[in-house]
Amino acid sequence: MTLTTPKTFTVLIENIAKEKQMTHMEAVLYYCNEEGIEPDSVGYLISKGLKEKIEANARALNFLPKQAQLPV
């Protein structure tokens, strides 16, 4: 499958994450594994929104340090 825009890639990753009930980070790795490509090669396709979701997943899994949040 050839992806040409970050928008199509984001939609595909969102669908994979929802259907397979996995995090967005896992969905990107799953897609790369299925297509036989290196995860480094899809960096330019990751949109700002998808990057924020992946970052939130990483923080929840303690891969990144927690950030202070204001109480709401």
Side-chain angles (χ1 to χ4, degrees):
M1 176 177 222
T2 304
L3 297 171
T4 56
T5 65
K7 184 171 181 159
T8 58
F9 184 72
T10 300
V11 170
L12 179 66
I13 295 303
E14 291 282 346
N15 289 337
I16 291 172
K18 189 174 184 179
E19 289 174 10
K20 305 271 187 210
Q21 297 180 351
M22 55 178 61
T23 66
H24 293 88
M25 183 172 31
E26 292 170 331
V28 171
L29 295 174
Y30 174 83
Y31 171 79
C32 291
N33 187 41
E34 290 295 309
E35 295 296 319
I37 56 176
E38 291 293 321
D40 295 343
S41 65
V42 296
Y44 72 98
L45 291 172
I46 297 178
S47 66
K48 183 179 178 183
L50 182 57
K51 182 179 178 182
E52 290 172 356
K53 289 178 182 179
I54 291 172
E55 187 176 328
N57 293 151
R59 288 194 194 287
L61 295 170
N62 293 323
F63 291 152
L64 295 173
K66 300 273 185 202
Q67 287 184 327
Q69 295 180 348
L70 295 174
V72 179

